[in-house]
Amino acid sequence: MPIPKYTLAVRHTPMSEAIAPGCDCPDSAEALERQIHQQVEQITAWCQTCQRPFWDFEKELFARLRFLGCLFVSLFLLAQHQRLDLKAWLGAHRLVDAWAPRRLKTVYGTIRYARAYLARRRGRGGFHPLDAVLGLTRDTFSPGVISLATRLTTRLSYKTAEVVLTAFWGWSPSTEALEHLVLGMGRLAPMYMSSAPPFPEEEGEILVIEVDGKAAPMVRATEMLKRRGPRQHGQGCACGCQRHRGRSRRQRRGPKKPRKKWARDKNGRSATLVVMYTLRRGADGLLHGPINKRVWGSFAKRKVMLRWARAEATRRGFHPDTTKRIQVLLDGERCLALGLKKLFPQAQLTLDIRHVEEKLWQAGRAFHAEGSTELAAWVKELRTLLYEQGGPALMQGLRERLEPVPKHGPGTKQKRQGLSELITYAEKRLDLMAYPQRLAEDMPVATGNVEGAVRHVIGQRLDCSGMRWVVGKAEAMLRLRCIEVNGQWDDFFAWCQQHWRAQLQRKKPLLIRTEQAIPLPEAA
């Protein structure tokens, strides 16, 4: 096999399409070895004689190293192909093609390799034994590309991820391919979370569960019809440029009607997020942690996430009949408290103290001006009662302030209404406001962990400006983002690889990518 000369044609062609010279189905490992040695010598000599500016040198070196990486990958695949014993795969199958070529897009670029194809002796269908051994699916992407590209989309938008990957690799999967990979991998995320590997640190003696939610913007049905309908380019515009095309469209449409204030919603759908961790009491008598913190969320009904919390607590050793202590922190929704109390009958439920403080500030603004020292002093006095004496003392203090407010007169209606609403709110939640006891035991009384997770997991990826999601696609992204934020991505992808290889070795065709949105799980 003649040794092809090194060229930089790859730089002038998209790396997703170009195939490096010498990587097009090589049939000789010796020839590939000679070419690799030749390329290494050429790179070494070129580095010693290159007189270009460092910026040009660095770009050129990166292109040469990518080419060299393609040669090494081709050598690996060819050696695997030559070493594979097909006798173990025969029987119900027969050899149809011993040299079936295929394109594979790796982090270094696109190569073409060959492998044997076996077909069933009876019926239709077949498989490639080499792909089954190596765990290569029908997605035309290498596992490294699938892992890195999908992981990046959990941090960045699809378009930004494509730009970043192109800057580093010289090529990138399309935004459509990235989205389809997310949908495919998102289907496996719940199965992995229910059987995740052991925690790196031993559990503490107190389990803490924090629950909260946040809405992400969803696309409306009318907008979906516009997206899926035929696009009109250049109608009513002679030149066809973007500026005049938009102007002609606005002229045909007429003046845009301003939206009402009440109509400025994002058509959001709420996702429930659960943060679970343990605390361990130290020699100083204080509780230290969080230990083995995990975040998980879903756009499904809240019962689904509560069931997950119950199953995860059991998996951690806190069974329904456990004598260990469980602390549950939540916002003021009574239905959520009732659902958690049913699943965790021995747990201590605590209302997030920050929610009560917000209500205090809201009621105090009816008595004093915003930002005044009188308002701060008014809230501080009631907050001291809450921290030191608990909910009943707060109720008494609020009633004492409500009694002298006259029933008639300017501004009295707002004052009485604000205090009455606060009293009603606190009265229904007195069983969740045992703050002095919790603080004396150094127990958490605020949902800071889940509040931060809501902003970080959902807000920074699913609630960005201009984003509109389909529910099933947002569910897939939320699942993968939780895994990434938990620091479980490498374990998750290794688990996925084992799952995929098991299917491939059972001679089943496997394609990770899918354009079907994920159905939301149903409550049991």
Side-chain angles (χ1 to χ4, degrees):
M1 176 180 177
I3 303 175
K5 295 182 179 179
Y6 178 84
T7 65
L8 293 181
V10 174
R11 293 171 47 191
H12 306 292
T13 313
M15 287 294 291
S16 59
E17 299 297 334
I19 298 178
C23 302
D24 188 4
C25 296
D27 56 358
S28 171
E30 292 76 12
L32 265 177
E33 290 179 14
R34 290 195 300 270
Q35 189 174 9
I36 289 173
H37 290 302
Q38 181 183 7
Q39 293 304 323
V40 171
E41 293 175 358
Q42 288 182 2
I43 293 174
T44 304
W46 175 78
C47 290
Q48 294 175 341
T49 59
C50 181
Q51 298 181 359
R52 298 181 182 180
F54 191 82
W55 167 240
D56 295 336
F57 164 77
E58 197 171 28
K59 289 192 297 182
E60 181 83 8
L61 178 61
F62 189 53
R64 290 173 180 261
L65 292 178
R66 286 205 310 268
F67 172 80
L68 189 60
C70 289
L71 293 178
F72 278 114
V73 173
S74 298
L75 181 61
F76 168 79
L77 293 173
L78 180 59
Q80 292 285 336
H81 169 75
Q82 293 175 344
R83 218 170 20 239
L84 184 64
D85 184 12
L86 295 179
K87 295 180 181 179
W89 299 88
L90 297 175
H93 292 75
R94 57 187 175 84
L95 180 63
V96 175
D97 190 353
W99 195 253
R102 182 202 184 191
R103 285 175 179 258
L104 182 66
K105 299 178 181 179
T106 70
V107 295
Y108 307 102
T110 302
I111 65 168
R112 184 181 291 143
Y113 71 102
R115 70 272 197 256
Y117 176 72
L118 304 182
R120 294 180 181 176
R121 296 185 183 274
R122 294 181 180 180
R124 297 181 179 180
F127 73 106
H128 301 89
L130 181 61
D131 292 350
V133 170
L134 299 180
L136 297 177
T137 64
R138 295 188 176 185
D139 297 277
T140 70
F141 298 119
S142 68
V145 170
I146 296 174
S147 175
L148 292 174
T150 311
R151 186 176 188 176
L152 191 59
T153 60
T154 64
R155 299 282 183 174
L156 304 172
S157 67
Y158 293 123
K159 187 61 181 177
T160 306
E162 182 185 16
V163 172
V164 172
L165 291 174
T166 303
F168 278 90
W169 293 348
W171 75 278
S172 170
S174 65
T175 56
E176 182 180 14
L178 292 174
E179 182 184 41
H180 292 174
L181 285 172
V182 167
L183 293 176
M185 293 187 63
R187 296 175 186 274
L188 298 176
M191 194 187 308
Y192 166 77
M193 288 297 293
S194 63
S195 61
F199 294 100
E201 190 175 352
E202 185 180 354
E203 292 285 5
E205 60 266 21
I206 298 176
L207 179 68
V208 181
I209 304 172
E210 301 182 17
V211 186
D212 201 358
K214 181 177 174 60
M218 298 296 161
V219 64
R220 299 179 185 274
T222 54
E223 188 175 351
M224 286 299 298
L225 290 176
K226 290 182 179 180
R227 291 185 180 182
R228 293 173 177 173
R231 295 185 178 271
Q232 300 177 357
H233 295 290
Q235 289 190 3
C237 174
C239 62
C241 70
Q242 180 180 358
R243 176 169 176 262
H244 295 99
R245 185 171 64 247
R247 180 185 297 176
S248 63
R249 184 171 59 250
R250 290 189 294 272
Q251 289 175 351
R252 294 194 308 272
R253 183 181 59 197
K256 188 176 181 180
K257 295 181 180 180
R259 291 187 299 177
K260 303 293 184 181
K261 287 186 177 180
W262 54 266
R264 295 179 182 271
D265 65 301
K266 59 184 182 181
N267 189 35
R269 184 183 177 100
S270 180
T272 305
L273 217 64
V274 175
V275 175
M276 189 177 296
Y277 56 91
T278 58
L279 299 174
R280 183 182 298 121
R281 196 171 294 278
D284 54 0
L286 301 178
L287 291 173
H288 300 278
I291 301 169
N292 298 330
K293 184 168 72 172
R294 287 288 182 265
V295 182
W296 189 244
S298 176
F299 285 93
K301 294 180 180 180
R302 187 164 292 166
K303 292 180 180 179
V304 173
M305 286 307 304
L306 298 187
R307 291 288 181 185
W308 177 86
R310 176 64 271 173
E312 181 69 9
T314 302
R315 199 169 69 90
R316 285 174 173 238
F318 293 82
H319 303 277
D321 55 349
T322 184
T323 58
K324 298 179 182 178
R325 191 168 183 179
I326 301 177
Q327 173 80 353
V328 180
L329 298 165
L330 65 160
D331 57 14
E333 294 188 38
R334 291 297 301 172
C335 60
L336 181 60
L338 292 174
L340 287 166
K341 192 66 178 177
K342 186 182 298 184
L343 294 174
F344 298 90
Q346 291 90 7
Q348 297 175 340
L349 273 64
T350 302
L351 174 64
D352 182 8
I353 198 169
R354 303 303 178 195
H355 283 76
V356 186
E357 292 180 358
E358 289 176 3
K359 298 289 184 180
L360 293 177
W361 284 98
Q362 184 178 353
R365 294 187 187 99
F367 291 84
H368 304 287
E370 176 74 27
S372 62
T373 56
E374 292 82 2
L375 175 60
W378 191 89
V379 173
K380 183 179 179 181
E381 184 178 354
L382 292 174
R383 188 167 55 188
T384 302
L385 286 175
L386 183 65
Y387 275 82
E388 296 181 356
Q389 302 181 38
L394 175 66
M395 292 288 296
Q396 183 179 354
L398 292 174
R399 290 193 175 100
E400 291 176 356
R401 284 162 175 75
L402 178 63
E403 185 175 355
V405 178
K407 295 183 179 181
H408 303 285
T412 58
K413 179 180 179 181
Q414 185 178 2
K415 295 176 182 179
R416 295 186 66 85
Q417 184 178 357
L419 284 176
S420 299
E421 291 178 355
L422 180 55
I423 291 173
T424 303
Y425 175 84
E427 192 173 20
K428 294 180 179 180
R429 298 164 177 82
L430 284 178
D431 57 332
L432 307 178
M433 300 170 66
Y435 299 120
Q437 296 90 325
R438 301 290 181 268
L439 292 173
E441 298 168 343
D442 193 32
M443 295 290 288
V445 294
T447 57
N449 284 284
V450 74
E451 293 283 352
V454 161
R455 291 191 299 270
H456 181 61
V457 176
I458 300 178
Q460 294 186 11
R461 181 63 182 91
L462 297 169
D463 194 16
C464 300
S465 177
M467 284 187 175
R468 291 292 183 273
W469 292 87
V470 176
V471 178
K473 296 181 179 180
E475 176 76 4
M477 179 56 69
L478 178 58
R479 294 175 181 179
L480 297 183
R481 184 159 173 80
C482 286
I483 291 175
E484 166 63 14
V485 169
N486 289 336
Q488 300 172 282
W489 187 268
D490 291 334
D491 291 330
F492 168 63
F493 195 79
W495 180 88
C496 289
Q497 275 290 107
Q498 292 180 356
H499 178 77
W500 295 330
R501 287 188 65 187
Q503 291 189 57
L504 289 170
Q505 291 183 1
R506 289 196 297 267
K507 305 171 185 178
K508 293 183 178 180
L510 179 60
L511 183 68
I512 301 173
R513 289 182 291 171
T514 177
E515 58 182 8
Q516 300 297 324
I518 292 180
L520 297 182
E522 296 291 336

